Amino acid sequence: AREEAADCMMCLVVTGWSDEMLKQMVSGYKKTILPEQAALEEKRRGSARTLYDQMVDRMLKHQAEFPWTVTQAAEKEDDPKEAMLKRVRNIVERMLKFYMRGCGKLQEGRDAPSAQPAAPGDYQFNYLPDGLREDEESAASANSAAPRRTENNFFNMEAA
């Protein structure tokens, strides 16, 4: 896995991209950055081209400079050109998702903005024993007329 990551990073480096450059490209791009998953392999032209398409094309221009292991793996396939295109698309897709998450442009899961708690106090840590939940209990009793739980003797050695 480490060698795989190093090869991917090297492909980005020989293309001429730096961390700062990639951050600026993703954060400043106003049109579609990454197409839907089902449309990743489609060929787009003109104004329909996304940042993803432009980056794939630019990386393919530098494929002669890719690490030997990347080119060797593509050459072992039945169609080396198609294998290299698939590999480059995968690298660009993962890299764009990484930077889009970092720039706040990608939200995965169910309605990510509304799923986040409003304040840090809204978090509930389920691995805490009941004895450490005094703040939660007092807030719950103030908000509802639910009966209080009995005192937990987990940390009381004398009562145990």
Side-chain angles (χ1 to χ4, degrees):
R2 187 174 289 224
E3 292 82 21
E4 172 85 14
D7 288 343
C8 291
M9 290 302 299
M10 202 58 204
C11 291
L12 296 171
V13 168
V14 298
T15 304
W17 292 320
S18 67
D19 179 50
E20 193 59 36
M21 184 186 298
L22 291 169
K23 277 189 242 181
Q24 287 177 340
M25 284 172 29
V26 170
S27 64
Y29 202 75
K30 302 296 181 209
K31 296 180 183 177
T32 304
I33 295 174
L34 187 66
E36 294 294 324
Q37 189 71 31
L40 282 175
E41 295 184 17
E42 293 176 10
K43 189 73 173 167
R44 287 165 286 282
R45 303 227 179 260
S47 63
R49 286 176 48 86
T50 63
L51 180 60
Y52 167 82
D53 298 321
Q54 296 170 29
M55 294 178 90
V56 167
D57 289 346
R58 181 165 177 194
M59 272 188 88
L60 286 173
K61 289 178 184 174
H62 293 273
Q63 70 185 23
E65 302 169 51
F66 285 175
W68 181 79
T69 53
V70 173
T71 55
Q72 198 65 19
E75 289 173 7
K76 289 180 182 177
E77 298 294 323
D78 293 336
D79 186 358
K81 191 173 182 178
E82 185 63 31
M84 182 61 77
L85 176 62
K86 185 177 179 181
R87 174 72 183 243
V88 167
R89 283 178 173 164
N90 182 270
I91 292 170
V92 172
E93 176 191 2
R94 291 186 308 174
M95 180 269 305
L96 282 174
K97 283 182 178 179
F98 174 81
Y99 281 97
M100 287 170 69
R101 273 189 215 106
C103 295
K105 291 191 170 194
L106 180 71
Q107 295 157 342
E108 296 179 322
R110 54 178 165 87
D111 298 318
S114 63
Q116 296 177 353
D122 292 345
Y123 288 107
Q124 179 178 354
F125 298 98
N126 292 329
Y127 58 86
L128 294 176
D130 288 337
L132 295 178
R133 295 188 183 265
E134 290 87 20
D135 292 338
E136 292 176 17
E137 286 180 18
S138 62
S141 64
N143 293 337
S144 67
R148 289 186 62 99
R149 288 187 256 174
T150 59
E151 187 66 31
N152 186 348
N153 291 329
F154 184 77
F155 291 107
N156 190 347
M157 296 303 286
E158 294 170 3

